[in-house]
Amino acid sequence: MRVLLVVLLLLVGCAGCGGSGSALPAIGMTSGGGFEGTSQEWTIAPDGAWTWNRTDKIDGLKVWPPRSGRLTGAAFDEIRRLATDPDLGREMRLPHEKCDSSDGSYERLDVGINHYVAGWCDRTRKHIRRLRERIVALTIGPNTVS
């Protein structure tokens, strides 16, 4: 009986400890905007449900039909691994470098409680770039983003 109780306590206490049943942090990502003609937005819920919206501002306003889906299996595990990497959190909290130019697009990344807005003169932040690239590839595909 004691062994069963210990096993149950371990299972309940480790419900969010990893493995394919674990949730990922809520993720929000924008791309474009500002002076760019295209604005895109992704959201990924802790259960892997995602949505994508795109608006083009060239020659009038064109709103693309939204897309949605769910990350499962290896895709879910990959995004969770990238989003919970401590190095990503450190990169997101780094201060921006001094910059005299602000004409770039508005790009934001929210991962759980961490928020990052692109600095146009910042050095490459490889963990942020990698997560952004994989979100695109695993949701709408890299060939659909202009």
Side-chain angles (χ1 to χ4, degrees):
M1 183 67 166
R2 275 190 195 155
V3 172
L4 179 59
L5 180 60
V6 169
V7 169
L8 286 173
L9 288 174
L10 286 173
L11 289 173
V12 170
C14 211
C17 298
S20 56
S22 295
L24 52 89
I27 299 172
M29 182 173 89
T30 64
S31 180
F35 291 115
E36 286 193 22
T38 298
S39 179
Q40 300 178 85
E41 181 178 338
W42 285 260
T43 58
I44 303 177
D47 66 356
W50 62 266
T51 59
W52 171 78
N53 293 287
R54 175 178 171 164
T55 304
D56 292 342
K57 298 181 281 185
I58 299 173
D59 297 327
L61 188 65
K62 176 184 178 187
V63 178
W64 291 52
R67 292 190 197 172
S68 61
R70 183 174 302 276
L71 298 171
T72 58
F76 181 92
D77 290 340
E78 180 180 357
I79 294 297
R80 184 185 60 228
R81 181 180 51 78
L82 293 171
T84 59
D85 184 338
D87 289 333
L88 173 75
R90 280 190 281 278
E91 267 187 12
M92 291 179 75
R93 290 187 299 273
L94 283 174
H96 290 291
E97 296 176 13
K98 181 171 174 16
C99 185
D100 295 326
S101 173
S102 63
D103 292 343
S105 64
Y106 179 85
E107 295 186 350
R108 182 177 174 112
L109 178 64
D110 301 312
V111 178
I113 63 170
N114 292 315
H115 309 287
Y116 173 77
V117 176
W120 320 127
C121 299
D122 283 348
R123 65 188 175 281
T124 301
R125 296 185 185 207
K126 67 181 183 178
H127 295 91
I128 292 171
R129 184 184 71 239
R130 180 71 177 152
L131 177 59
R132 290 180 66 87
E133 290 170 353
R134 297 308 293 155
I135 287 172
V136 172
L138 295 170
T139 56
I140 64 169
N143 296 326
T144 59
V145 178
S146 60

